[in-house]
Amino acid sequence: MDNFSFNDLKGKLVVMPGGTGALGISLATAFAACGAKLAIIGRDKERAENLAAKLKQKYWVDVRGYAVDVTNMEALKEVKMEVFEQLGLVDILVNIVGGNIEGATTNAEKWEEQGLNFAQIKPDALSEVFEKNFKACWNTAQLFSVDMIAKNKGVILNVTSIAALQPLTKVGAYSAAKAALESHTKWLSNYLASENIRVNSLAPGFFLTNQNEFLLKKPDGSFTERGEKIISRTPLKRLGSAEDFQGAALWMCSDLASFLTGSTIVVDGGVSNFGGI
Ligand SMILES: NC(=O)c1ccc[n+]([C@@H]2O[C@H](COP(=O)([O-])OP(=O)(O)OC[C@H]3O[C@@H](n4cnc5c(N)ncnc54)[C@H](O)[C@@H]3O)[C@@H](O)[C@H]2O)c1
């Protein structure tokens, strides 16, 4: 092979649950720029449709926005039918749906600190984090892999987190839910390999977005102690920006990564690989 490009993504149908979020918009833009068709799924219809209209106008590709709670299988089935009627069979599923919630987060950096509240985290908060990060991706893979099996080709990319791979303070529930998704990714990669479907995960490090702003920035815009600590321990000495993982995601979904399955690619500025000494 001597023609290295993302041209194989042109005309492919990419379904992107969570595509209306901070990182999702960046990935949706990257796929549209490569000429892929897109079904962007968020929770807010207007937001999804506005993003679709913007990408369509800029890149001249067929992009549509849908709104559904993807943890609700029955509602998701209806959206899948709409996607099929409007755009066809799915080639690539990018699960960038997920996120943390404040109610499932402990309030102390260290166990010695006052106000440790692990015991106060409500079961509902734990369930919500697992639904958002794990069940959401399980559901979409169950439904959309059927299209890929029909084509005998496909790619599933689950966006997890470095929190799934190593313990971080505060985010025990989120870490566990993402670790479950990591495990499921590997299991599914084995299960679907005979159908020529590749399944991988991309684990971002610390990116400054809505979901973690309350942990990393103070109301006056300066960094919290945690934000400062992260930057000081990141070899590339900054937080990630939404554009920082576009290239890795495109590569993982393109035929350039045709022998990649069951793998996790970490995009984190080196933070998970730094011993601190
Ligand atoms: N931002 C970071 O630093 C960071 C780091 C590691 C991993 N991640 C992961 O990357 C992904 C994207 O993060 P983000 O910062 O863009 O988050 P975000 O909160 O901006 O976006 C999340 C998106 O998921 C959608 N969503 C949530 N629950 C849903 C549901 N039940 N049904 C349908 N849609 C739903 C929201 O509408 C939104 O579009 C998440 O999975 C997150 O856990 C983010």
Side-chain angles (χ1 to χ4, degrees):
M1 187 156 113
D2 60 2
N3 178 18
F4 295 100
S5 72
F6 294 133
N7 277 347
D8 64 285
L9 295 174
K10 205 172 180 169
K12 292 268 168 66
L13 175 54
V14 181
V15 171
M16 199 178 288
T20 54
L23 299 182
I25 292 173
S26 162
L27 267 203
T29 305
F31 278 101
C34 289
K37 294 187 289 178
L38 277 167
I40 295 170
I41 304 178
R43 305 222 40 185
D44 178 334
K45 194 157 176 69
E46 201 180 328
R47 192 175 158 88
E49 286 180 345
N50 285 346
L51 174 61
K54 241 189 229 167
L55 294 177
K56 203 169 178 169
Q57 191 186 29
K58 184 156 183 201
Y59 298 105
W60 291 69
V61 283
D62 202 352
V63 186
R64 312 239 173 167
Y66 304 87
V68 66
D69 176 353
V70 296
T71 65
N72 178 339
M73 195 53 140
E74 290 315 306
L76 183 61
K77 278 182 187 162
E78 283 174 27
V79 165
K80 191 204 163 186
M81 193 50 76
E82 258 184 87
V83 171
F84 173 68
E85 283 164 5
Q86 294 172 343
L87 293 163
L89 290 174
V90 174
D91 299 287
I92 297 169
L93 168 66
V94 178
N95 267 323
I96 192 160
V97 54
N100 198 11
I101 59 167
E102 203 161 358
T105 306
T106 53
N107 59 8
E109 289 282 343
K110 298 187 202 112
W111 66 270
E112 300 98 325
E113 282 176 6
Q114 293 298 310
L116 197 62
N117 66 335
F118 171 58
Q120 276 81 51
I121 288 179
K122 305 254 188 316
D124 284 355
L126 178 67
S127 303
E128 187 179 335
V129 169
F130 266 78
E131 295 242 323
K132 235 182 207 278
N133 291 285
F134 180 71
K135 188 179 176 195
C137 301
W138 173 286
N139 281 356
T140 55
Q142 258 190 336
L143 275 189
F144 291 107
S145 61
V146 173
D147 287 15
M148 301 176 195
I149 291 168
K151 289 188 165 189
N152 196 239
K153 184 167 176 162
V155 180
I156 298 175
L157 179 64
N158 289 326
V159 175
T160 60
S161 166
I162 55 165
L165 311 174
Q166 62 176 168
L168 298 178
T169 55
K170 292 193 169 195
V171 294
Y174 175 71
S175 302
K178 290 293 198 189
L181 183 58
E182 276 289 329
S183 167
H184 177 57
T185 302
K186 289 181 182 4
W187 178 83
L188 199 59
S189 73
N190 292 339
Y191 185 76
L192 291 175
S194 61
E195 306 298 329
N196 197 26
I197 298 169
R198 300 188 294 107
V199 189
N200 293 292
S201 65
L202 191 157
F206 295 99
F207 287 65
L208 187 62
T209 57
N210 313 336
Q211 73 152 338
N212 59 17
E213 201 165 3
F214 71 97
L215 288 171
L216 303 180
K217 278 205 158 173
K218 295 181 195 162
D220 68 6
S222 62
F223 285 110
T224 58
E225 194 187 333
R226 187 180 179 86
E228 305 253 4
K229 200 190 277 177
I230 291 167
I231 293 170
S232 73
R233 293 182 186 188
T234 302
L236 289 182
K237 286 284 169 272
R238 63 178 175 85
L239 298 172
S241 79
E243 286 75 36
D244 277 324
F245 74 133
Q246 289 173 317
L250 290 178
W251 169 69
M252 294 174 87
C253 292
S254 83
D255 288 344
L256 290 177
S258 55
F259 204 45
L260 187 83
T261 198
S263 290
T264 303
I265 302 291
V266 177
V267 180
D268 70 346
V271 70
S272 60
N273 208 27
F274 179 56
I277 303 164

